[in-house]
Amino acid sequence: MKTVRLTCDDWQTLRDVRLAALADAPYAYGSTLEREQSMDESEWRRRLESGLSAVAVDGAETVGLIGAYLPEPDRPMLIGLWVDPAQRGRGVGDALVTEVLRWAAENGWSEVVLRVADGNDAARKLFLRLGFTATGVREPLESNPGVGTETLSRAI
């Protein structure tokens, strides 16, 4: 298994894996399957123009996805981690998070933050195991304001 950073020309890969993630775990993301199914090529390409999108590839199969962007200067936010259910427990999530941490280090940033939805215990455990800690900041999930999210942070 390896991680691959996507470019604008990989928009179809991003679309396909992101839609699979939203179909598999709609409770975990700040968007919806219906919203993203309606996005056109230009919107998918725009997502790839800034920040980082990476996939995990096992042979010819794409088995995971992660992203990161800069909501504020010098403080990247990890977003959209997903691992194919058949591949969970095999280190795919670790590899994808490590790719975001590597990208942040390459850019000289000293911290990565993320938000994890309440009830997404497997993801929260992964992030804590990889050195993220709770910040005390909580916000509602955009796609379902009845669900809270917790912000975690990790120094690089």
Side-chain angles (χ1 to χ4, degrees), residues 9-142:
D9 291 334
D10 299 315
W11 71 271
Q12 291 173 308
T13 298
L14 174 62
R15 179 199 61 203
D16 294 348
V17 181
R18 176 67 174 173
L19 295 179
L22 288 164
D24 174 56
Y27 56 85
Y29 302 102
S31 187
T32 65
L33 179 61
E34 294 75 24
R35 178 183 173 280
E36 296 198 16
Q37 283 175 324
S38 69
M39 291 171 47
D40 65 13
E41 177 182 341
S42 66
E43 290 175 279
W44 290 107
R45 285 181 179 275
R46 194 170 18 260
R47 279 193 175 183
L48 290 164
E49 288 173 354
S50 62
L52 170 77
S53 291
V55 293
V57 178
D58 187 9
E61 185 180 1
T62 302
V63 298
L65 173 68
I66 200 164
Y69 74 108
L70 288 172
E72 56 189 81
D74 301 324
R75 194 171 187 226
M77 177 172 272
L78 182 156
I79 58 170
L81 174 62
W82 178 75
V83 176
D84 182 305
Q87 300 295 322
R88 292 178 184 158
R90 296 182 174 181
V92 175
D94 292 58
L96 288 166
V97 172
T98 298
E99 187 64 31
V100 168
L101 297 173
R102 184 179 303 117
W103 172 75
E106 288 168 5
N107 284 284
W109 299 313
S110 61
E111 175 188 36
V112 172
V113 297
L114 63 87
R115 290 171 51 206
V116 63
D118 293 345
N120 194 352
D121 298 332
R124 188 173 194 285
K125 282 176 152 177
L126 169 71
F127 298 135
L128 293 175
R129 185 171 49 76
L130 293 175
F132 286 84
T133 58
T135 65
V137 176
R138 296 192 53 79
E139 300 175 61
L141 184 65
E142 292 81 357

